[in-house]
Amino acid sequence: MVSGWFARDGNDFRLLGTRCSACASVFFPREDAHCRNPGCPGGELVEVALSRRGRVWSYTDSRYRPPSPYVTDPELSWEPRALIAVELAAERIVVLGQSVPGVTVADLTVGMEMEVVPGVLHEDAETTWTTWHWRPTGVTA
C-alpha cells in the first residue's frame, strides 16, 4: 500500500512508525520531516516497529463503496467491512484499519484484544497490494 508503513520478516508483521528522540512521541502514519507534537522543540525521528497487539478503542462498519482512488470493480457486489480503531498502549496511539475478512461489528467489543496481520487491499494478474488488517487474538483464519 504505502512503502515504509509496515515490514514483514517471516511471520513477524509489524506496522512501522517513527518516534521523536526529544519528546518520545510516536507517530503512525510515520513522520519523516518534523515532530508533530506542538510542545516539542523537535528531535531526530527514528523508525520504530509498533506493538503487534492492542485493544479495540472504537469500531464501525463501511456501508458504502469507497470513492476513487480505491480500486474496486463496480460490477462486483460490495461487502461492508468493519473499521477498527485499535489503541496501542505502549505507544499511546490509536491506529485505524480494516478487520480481517469475516469479522463484523457483531464480533467486536470495545476493549477486546486485537493483533495486526497482513492483508490484501487489491490484487490483479500482476500485482498484489498489501495492507494491514486487525484480527481478534486467538483467531487464526
Side-chain angles (χ1 to χ4, degrees), residues 3 8 15 23 26-28 30 36-37 57 62 65 76 79 92-94 100 105 108 113 119 121 124 126 140:
S3 179
R8 185 178 200 165
L15 295 176
C23 69
V26 177
F27 306 105
F28 182 84
R30 60 183 300 128
R36 293 183 205 147
N37 179 348
W57 184 76
S62 59
R65 189 182 304 269
L76 298 176
E79 292 186 33
R92 298 177 37 201
I93 62 173
V94 175
V100 294
V105 293
L108 301 172
E113 188 177 51
L121 179 66
D124 60 28
E126 295 86 34
T140 57

PDB file of all heavy atoms in Angstrom, residues 3 8 15 23 26-28 30 36-37 57 62 65 76 79 92-94 100 105 108 113 119 121 124 126 140:
ATOM      1  N   SER A   3       4.780   2.430   0.873  1.00  0.00           N
ATOM      2  CA  SER A   3       6.123   1.979   1.218  1.00  0.00           C
ATOM      3  C   SER A   3       6.557   2.569   2.560  1.00  0.00           C
ATOM      4  O   SER A   3       6.373   3.760   2.818  1.00  0.00           O
ATOM      5  CB  SER A   3       7.093   2.405   0.119  1.00  0.00           C
ATOM      6  OG  SER A   3       8.398   2.008   0.442  1.00  0.00           O
ATOM      7  N   ARG A   8       7.651  -6.975   7.032  1.00  0.00           N
ATOM      8  CA  ARG A   8       7.382  -8.381   7.308  1.00  0.00           C
ATOM      9  C   ARG A   8       8.691  -9.143   7.292  1.00  0.00           C
ATOM     10  O   ARG A   8       9.453  -9.063   6.340  1.00  0.00           O
ATOM     11  CB  ARG A   8       6.434  -8.938   6.263  1.00  0.00           C
ATOM     12  CG  ARG A   8       6.017 -10.351   6.548  1.00  0.00           C
ATOM     13  CD  ARG A   8       5.049 -10.834   5.504  1.00  0.00           C
ATOM     14  NE  ARG A   8       4.306 -11.960   6.029  1.00  0.00           N
ATOM     15  CZ  ARG A   8       3.213 -12.418   5.498  1.00  0.00           C
ATOM     16  NH1 ARG A   8       2.711 -11.844   4.426  1.00  0.00           N
ATOM     17  NH2 ARG A   8       2.603 -13.449   6.023  1.00  0.00           N
ATOM     18  N   LEU A  15       3.576  -2.874  11.877  1.00  0.00           N
ATOM     19  CA  LEU A  15       3.428  -1.527  11.369  1.00  0.00           C
ATOM     20  C   LEU A  15       4.671  -0.747  11.796  1.00  0.00           C
ATOM     21  O   LEU A  15       5.231  -0.994  12.871  1.00  0.00           O
ATOM     22  CB  LEU A  15       2.182  -0.860  11.947  1.00  0.00           C
ATOM     23  CG  LEU A  15       0.850  -1.479  11.542  1.00  0.00           C
ATOM     24  CD1 LEU A  15      -0.298  -0.791  12.265  1.00  0.00           C
ATOM     25  CD2 LEU A  15       0.654  -1.415  10.036  1.00  0.00           C
ATOM     26  N   CYS A  23      10.980  14.159  22.501  1.00  0.00           N
ATOM     27  CA  CYS A  23       9.809  14.072  23.389  1.00  0.00           C
ATOM     28  C   CYS A  23       9.235  12.656  23.495  1.00  0.00           C
ATOM     29  O   CYS A  23       8.312  12.426  24.255  1.00  0.00           O
ATOM     30  CB  CYS A  23       8.718  15.029  22.926  1.00  0.00           C
ATOM     31  SG  CYS A  23       7.944  14.571  21.361  1.00  0.00           S
ATOM     32  N   VAL A  26       5.232   9.072  19.468  1.00  0.00           N
ATOM     33  CA  VAL A  26       5.251   8.085  18.390  1.00  0.00           C
ATOM     34  C   VAL A  26       4.185   8.467  17.379  1.00  0.00           C
ATOM     35  O   VAL A  26       3.076   8.876  17.758  1.00  0.00           O
ATOM     36  CB  VAL A  26       4.983   6.666  18.933  1.00  0.00           C
ATOM     37  CG1 VAL A  26       4.919   5.648  17.806  1.00  0.00           C
ATOM     38  CG2 VAL A  26       6.058   6.282  19.935  1.00  0.00           C
ATOM     39  N   PHE A  27       4.506   8.299  16.093  1.00  0.00           N
ATOM     40  CA  PHE A  27       3.601   8.694  15.026  1.00  0.00           C
ATOM     41  C   PHE A  27       3.346   7.549  14.061  1.00  0.00           C
ATOM     42  O   PHE A  27       4.266   6.848  13.651  1.00  0.00           O
ATOM     43  CB  PHE A  27       4.176   9.883  14.247  1.00  0.00           C
ATOM     44  CG  PHE A  27       4.538  11.037  15.124  1.00  0.00           C
ATOM     45  CD1 PHE A  27       5.851  11.308  15.421  1.00  0.00           C
ATOM     46  CD2 PHE A  27       3.551  11.827  15.686  1.00  0.00           C
ATOM     47  CE1 PHE A  27       6.195  12.366  16.240  1.00  0.00           C
ATOM     48  CE2 PHE A  27       3.872  12.884  16.512  1.00  0.00           C
ATOM     49  CZ  PHE A  27       5.202  13.158  16.796  1.00  0.00           C
ATOM     50  N   PHE A  28       2.070   7.365  13.716  1.00  0.00           N
ATOM     51  CA  PHE A  28       1.657   6.493  12.628  1.00  0.00           C
ATOM     52  C   PHE A  28       0.421   7.112  12.003  1.00  0.00           C
ATOM     53  O   PHE A  28      -0.532   7.410  12.727  1.00  0.00           O
ATOM     54  CB  PHE A  28       1.331   5.065  13.106  1.00  0.00           C
ATOM     55  CG  PHE A  28       0.965   4.186  11.937  1.00  0.00           C
ATOM     56  CD1 PHE A  28       1.951   3.582  11.194  1.00  0.00           C
ATOM     57  CD2 PHE A  28      -0.357   4.011  11.564  1.00  0.00           C
ATOM     58  CE1 PHE A  28       1.624   2.797  10.100  1.00  0.00           C
ATOM     59  CE2 PHE A  28      -0.695   3.240  10.474  1.00  0.00           C
ATOM     60  CZ  PHE A  28       0.306   2.621   9.734  1.00  0.00           C
ATOM     61  N   ARG A  30       3.850   7.152   9.766  1.00  0.00           N
ATOM     62  CA  ARG A  30       5.172   7.661  10.117  1.00  0.00           C
ATOM     63  C   ARG A  30       5.323   9.127   9.718  1.00  0.00           C
ATOM     64  O   ARG A  30       4.676   9.613   8.809  1.00  0.00           O
ATOM     65  CB  ARG A  30       6.248   6.808   9.471  1.00  0.00           C
ATOM     66  CG  ARG A  30       6.172   6.787   7.957  1.00  0.00           C
ATOM     67  CD  ARG A  30       7.197   5.876   7.299  1.00  0.00           C
ATOM     68  NE  ARG A  30       8.538   6.299   7.630  1.00  0.00           N
ATOM     69  CZ  ARG A  30       9.458   5.482   8.131  1.00  0.00           C
ATOM     70  NH1 ARG A  30       9.201   4.208   8.328  1.00  0.00           N
ATOM     71  NH2 ARG A  30      10.657   5.924   8.407  1.00  0.00           N
ATOM     72  N   ARG A  36       5.447  16.145  15.221  1.00  0.00           N
ATOM     73  CA  ARG A  36       4.105  16.735  15.167  1.00  0.00           C
ATOM     74  C   ARG A  36       3.623  17.267  16.509  1.00  0.00           C
ATOM     75  O   ARG A  36       2.577  17.898  16.588  1.00  0.00           O
ATOM     76  CB  ARG A  36       3.095  15.679  14.692  1.00  0.00           C
ATOM     77  CG  ARG A  36       3.273  15.246  13.280  1.00  0.00           C
ATOM     78  CD  ARG A  36       2.169  14.242  12.903  1.00  0.00           C
ATOM     79  NE  ARG A  36       2.608  13.382  11.836  1.00  0.00           N
ATOM     80  CZ  ARG A  36       2.253  12.120  11.689  1.00  0.00           C
ATOM     81  NH1 ARG A  36       1.430  11.562  12.554  1.00  0.00           N
ATOM     82  NH2 ARG A  36       2.700  11.413  10.688  1.00  0.00           N
ATOM     83  N   ASN A  37       4.353  16.970  17.562  1.00  0.00           N
ATOM     84  CA  ASN A  37       3.974  17.434  18.896  1.00  0.00           C
ATOM     85  C   ASN A  37       4.225  18.940  18.971  1.00  0.00           C
ATOM     86  O   ASN A  37       5.367  19.386  18.901  1.00  0.00           O
ATOM     87  CB  ASN A  37       4.799  16.700  19.949  1.00  0.00           C
ATOM     88  CG  ASN A  37       4.502  17.134  21.360  1.00  0.00           C
ATOM     89  OD1 ASN A  37       3.836  18.144  21.597  1.00  0.00           O
ATOM     90  ND2 ASN A  37       5.023  16.399  22.326  1.00  0.00           N
ATOM     91  N   TRP A  57     -10.545   0.373  20.571  1.00  0.00           N
ATOM     92  CA  TRP A  57     -10.882   1.674  21.137  1.00  0.00           C
ATOM     93  C   TRP A  57     -12.260   2.087  20.639  1.00  0.00           C
ATOM     94  O   TRP A  57     -13.060   2.641  21.374  1.00  0.00           O
ATOM     95  CB  TRP A  57      -9.799   2.661  20.726  1.00  0.00           C
ATOM     96  CG  TRP A  57      -9.907   4.026  21.279  1.00  0.00           C
ATOM     97  CD1 TRP A  57      -9.611   4.424  22.555  1.00  0.00           C
ATOM     98  CD2 TRP A  57     -10.319   5.196  20.574  1.00  0.00           C
ATOM     99  NE1 TRP A  57      -9.810   5.776  22.681  1.00  0.00           N
ATOM    100  CE2 TRP A  57     -10.249   6.274  21.467  1.00  0.00           C
ATOM    101  CE3 TRP A  57     -10.730   5.435  19.274  1.00  0.00           C
ATOM    102  CZ2 TRP A  57     -10.583   7.561  21.105  1.00  0.00           C
ATOM    103  CZ3 TRP A  57     -11.060   6.720  18.909  1.00  0.00           C
ATOM    104  CH2 TRP A  57     -10.991   7.767  19.833  1.00  0.00           C
ATOM    105  N   SER A  62     -18.302  -0.103   7.201  1.00  0.00           N
ATOM    106  CA  SER A  62     -18.404   0.698   5.974  1.00  0.00           C
ATOM    107  C   SER A  62     -19.591   0.176   5.181  1.00  0.00           C
ATOM    108  O   SER A  62     -19.598  -0.961   4.741  1.00  0.00           O
ATOM    109  CB  SER A  62     -17.124   0.574   5.160  1.00  0.00           C
ATOM    110  OG  SER A  62     -16.879  -0.774   4.817  1.00  0.00           O
ATOM    111  N   ARG A  65     -19.476   1.786  -0.928  1.00  0.00           N
ATOM    112  CA  ARG A  65     -18.272   1.526  -1.714  1.00  0.00           C
ATOM    113  C   ARG A  65     -17.403   2.788  -1.659  1.00  0.00           C
ATOM    114  O   ARG A  65     -17.882   3.878  -1.960  1.00  0.00           O
ATOM    115  CB  ARG A  65     -18.668   1.213  -3.155  1.00  0.00           C
ATOM    116  CG  ARG A  65     -17.547   0.731  -4.020  1.00  0.00           C
ATOM    117  CD  ARG A  65     -18.028   0.480  -5.445  1.00  0.00           C
ATOM    118  NE  ARG A  65     -19.135  -0.458  -5.534  1.00  0.00           N
ATOM    119  CZ  ARG A  65     -19.006  -1.776  -5.688  1.00  0.00           C
ATOM    120  NH1 ARG A  65     -17.807  -2.310  -5.771  1.00  0.00           N
ATOM    121  NH2 ARG A  65     -20.062  -2.553  -5.757  1.00  0.00           N
ATOM    122  N   LEU A  76     -18.970  -5.901  -9.347  1.00  0.00           N
ATOM    123  CA  LEU A  76     -18.994  -6.872  -8.255  1.00  0.00           C
ATOM    124  C   LEU A  76     -19.826  -6.337  -7.098  1.00  0.00           C
ATOM    125  O   LEU A  76     -19.918  -5.126  -6.881  1.00  0.00           O
ATOM    126  CB  LEU A  76     -17.580  -7.163  -7.767  1.00  0.00           C
ATOM    127  CG  LEU A  76     -16.639  -7.790  -8.797  1.00  0.00           C
ATOM    128  CD1 LEU A  76     -15.248  -7.935  -8.202  1.00  0.00           C
ATOM    129  CD2 LEU A  76     -17.167  -9.126  -9.273  1.00  0.00           C
ATOM    130  N   GLU A  79     -19.213  -5.724  -0.229  1.00  0.00           N
ATOM    131  CA  GLU A  79     -19.367  -6.311   1.101  1.00  0.00           C
ATOM    132  C   GLU A  79     -18.805  -5.336   2.130  1.00  0.00           C
ATOM    133  O   GLU A  79     -17.628  -4.989   2.053  1.00  0.00           O
ATOM    134  CB  GLU A  79     -18.639  -7.644   1.184  1.00  0.00           C
ATOM    135  CG  GLU A  79     -19.280  -8.719   0.334  1.00  0.00           C
ATOM    136  CD  GLU A  79     -18.638 -10.072   0.551  1.00  0.00           C
ATOM    137  OE1 GLU A  79     -18.204 -10.348   1.690  1.00  0.00           O
ATOM    138  OE2 GLU A  79     -18.560 -10.830  -0.413  1.00  0.00           O
ATOM    139  N   ARG A  92       0.882   4.669  23.088  1.00  0.00           N
ATOM    140  CA  ARG A  92      -0.119   5.680  23.426  1.00  0.00           C
ATOM    141  C   ARG A  92      -0.699   6.343  22.183  1.00  0.00           C
ATOM    142  O   ARG A  92      -0.873   7.549  22.130  1.00  0.00           O
ATOM    143  CB  ARG A  92       0.461   6.703  24.397  1.00  0.00           C
ATOM    144  CG  ARG A  92       0.874   6.071  25.708  1.00  0.00           C
ATOM    145  CD  ARG A  92       1.521   6.989  26.679  1.00  0.00           C
ATOM    146  NE  ARG A  92       0.958   8.330  26.669  1.00  0.00           N
ATOM    147  CZ  ARG A  92       1.593   9.387  27.119  1.00  0.00           C
ATOM    148  NH1 ARG A  92       2.791   9.287  27.627  1.00  0.00           N
ATOM    149  NH2 ARG A  92       1.028  10.581  27.076  1.00  0.00           N
ATOM    150  N   ILE A  93      -1.005   5.499  21.169  1.00  0.00           N
ATOM    151  CA  ILE A  93      -1.639   5.987  19.943  1.00  0.00           C
ATOM    152  C   ILE A  93      -2.762   5.040  19.546  1.00  0.00           C
ATOM    153  O   ILE A  93      -2.833   3.899  20.018  1.00  0.00           O
ATOM    154  CB  ILE A  93      -0.649   6.138  18.767  1.00  0.00           C
ATOM    155  CG1 ILE A  93      -0.024   4.792  18.381  1.00  0.00           C
ATOM    156  CG2 ILE A  93       0.418   7.168  19.086  1.00  0.00           C
ATOM    157  CD1 ILE A  93       0.827   4.838  17.120  1.00  0.00           C
ATOM    158  N   VAL A  94      -3.649   5.519  18.675  1.00  0.00           N
ATOM    159  CA  VAL A  94      -4.746   4.726  18.136  1.00  0.00           C
ATOM    160  C   VAL A  94      -4.522   4.605  16.630  1.00  0.00           C
ATOM    161  O   VAL A  94      -4.281   5.604  15.954  1.00  0.00           O
ATOM    162  CB  VAL A  94      -6.110   5.385  18.431  1.00  0.00           C
ATOM    163  CG1 VAL A  94      -7.234   4.616  17.766  1.00  0.00           C
ATOM    164  CG2 VAL A  94      -6.334   5.473  19.944  1.00  0.00           C
ATOM    165  N   VAL A 100     -10.027  -8.253   9.499  1.00  0.00           N
ATOM    166  CA  VAL A 100      -9.790  -9.353   8.571  1.00  0.00           C
ATOM    167  C   VAL A 100     -11.135  -9.748   7.977  1.00  0.00           C
ATOM    168  O   VAL A 100     -12.185  -9.527   8.594  1.00  0.00           O
ATOM    169  CB  VAL A 100      -9.123 -10.565   9.265  1.00  0.00           C
ATOM    170  CG1 VAL A 100      -7.721 -10.234   9.739  1.00  0.00           C
ATOM    171  CG2 VAL A 100      -9.968 -11.088  10.400  1.00  0.00           C
ATOM    172  N   VAL A 105     -18.879  -6.095  12.801  1.00  0.00           N
ATOM    173  CA  VAL A 105     -19.075  -5.329  14.032  1.00  0.00           C
ATOM    174  C   VAL A 105     -19.771  -6.165  15.099  1.00  0.00           C
ATOM    175  O   VAL A 105     -19.582  -5.924  16.291  1.00  0.00           O
ATOM    176  CB  VAL A 105     -19.835  -4.005  13.770  1.00  0.00           C
ATOM    177  CG1 VAL A 105     -19.004  -3.056  12.936  1.00  0.00           C
ATOM    178  CG2 VAL A 105     -21.179  -4.245  13.138  1.00  0.00           C
ATOM    179  N   LEU A 108     -17.254  -7.681  17.515  1.00  0.00           N
ATOM    180  CA  LEU A 108     -16.338  -6.776  18.211  1.00  0.00           C
ATOM    181  C   LEU A 108     -16.947  -6.189  19.477  1.00  0.00           C
ATOM    182  O   LEU A 108     -18.148  -5.987  19.555  1.00  0.00           O
ATOM    183  CB  LEU A 108     -15.935  -5.628  17.272  1.00  0.00           C
ATOM    184  CG  LEU A 108     -15.243  -6.036  15.979  1.00  0.00           C
ATOM    185  CD1 LEU A 108     -15.090  -4.828  15.065  1.00  0.00           C
ATOM    186  CD2 LEU A 108     -13.899  -6.686  16.255  1.00  0.00           C
ATOM    187  N   GLU A 113      -8.924  -7.621  22.724  1.00  0.00           N
ATOM    188  CA  GLU A 113      -7.558  -7.605  22.208  1.00  0.00           C
ATOM    189  C   GLU A 113      -7.532  -7.954  20.729  1.00  0.00           C
ATOM    190  O   GLU A 113      -8.200  -8.890  20.290  1.00  0.00           O
ATOM    191  CB  GLU A 113      -6.673  -8.580  22.989  1.00  0.00           C
ATOM    192  CG  GLU A 113      -5.210  -8.448  22.621  1.00  0.00           C
ATOM    193  CD  GLU A 113      -4.309  -9.351  23.438  1.00  0.00           C
ATOM    194  OE1 GLU A 113      -4.607 -10.562  23.516  1.00  0.00           O
ATOM    195  OE2 GLU A 113      -3.314  -8.850  23.974  1.00  0.00           O
ATOM    196  N   GLY A 119      -2.753  -8.066   5.125  1.00  0.00           N
ATOM    197  CA  GLY A 119      -3.993  -8.239   4.385  1.00  0.00           C
ATOM    198  C   GLY A 119      -3.806  -7.795   2.950  1.00  0.00           C
ATOM    199  O   GLY A 119      -2.777  -7.224   2.591  1.00  0.00           O
ATOM    200  N   LEU A 121      -5.197  -5.422  -0.009  1.00  0.00           N
ATOM    201  CA  LEU A 121      -6.035  -4.285  -0.356  1.00  0.00           C
ATOM    202  C   LEU A 121      -6.680  -4.519  -1.715  1.00  0.00           C
ATOM    203  O   LEU A 121      -7.862  -4.302  -1.906  1.00  0.00           O
ATOM    204  CB  LEU A 121      -5.207  -3.004  -0.375  1.00  0.00           C
ATOM    205  CG  LEU A 121      -5.955  -1.740  -0.735  1.00  0.00           C
ATOM    206  CD1 LEU A 121      -6.986  -1.421   0.339  1.00  0.00           C
ATOM    207  CD2 LEU A 121      -4.987  -0.581  -0.896  1.00  0.00           C
ATOM    208  N   ASP A 124      -4.434  -7.899  -8.808  1.00  0.00           N
ATOM    209  CA  ASP A 124      -4.788  -8.199 -10.186  1.00  0.00           C
ATOM    210  C   ASP A 124      -3.795  -9.245 -10.686  1.00  0.00           C
ATOM    211  O   ASP A 124      -3.047  -9.820  -9.890  1.00  0.00           O
ATOM    212  CB  ASP A 124      -4.820  -6.933 -11.055  1.00  0.00           C
ATOM    213  CG  ASP A 124      -3.489  -6.192 -11.113  1.00  0.00           C
ATOM    214  OD1 ASP A 124      -2.426  -6.830 -10.959  1.00  0.00           O
ATOM    215  OD2 ASP A 124      -3.513  -4.972 -11.342  1.00  0.00           O
ATOM    216  N   GLU A 126      -1.012  -9.067 -12.160  1.00  0.00           N
ATOM    217  CA  GLU A 126       0.417  -8.757 -12.000  1.00  0.00           C
ATOM    218  C   GLU A 126       0.845  -8.376 -10.593  1.00  0.00           C
ATOM    219  O   GLU A 126       1.983  -8.550 -10.211  1.00  0.00           O
ATOM    220  CB  GLU A 126       0.823  -7.607 -12.942  1.00  0.00           C
ATOM    221  CG  GLU A 126       0.743  -7.908 -14.410  1.00  0.00           C
ATOM    222  CD  GLU A 126      -0.651  -7.657 -14.980  1.00  0.00           C
ATOM    223  OE1 GLU A 126      -1.330  -6.725 -14.501  1.00  0.00           O
ATOM    224  OE2 GLU A 126      -1.064  -8.414 -15.869  1.00  0.00           O
ATOM    225  N   THR A 140      -7.342 -17.666  14.017  1.00  0.00           N
ATOM    226  CA  THR A 140      -6.273 -17.967  13.065  1.00  0.00           C
ATOM    227  C   THR A 140      -6.699 -17.874  11.616  1.00  0.00           C
ATOM    228  O   THR A 140      -5.882 -17.884  10.730  1.00  0.00           O
ATOM    229  CB  THR A 140      -5.702 -19.378  13.326  1.00  0.00           C
ATOM    230  OG1 THR A 140      -6.772 -20.316  13.245  1.00  0.00           O
ATOM    231  CG2 THR A 140      -5.030 -19.436  14.672  1.00  0.00           C
TER     232      THR A 140
END
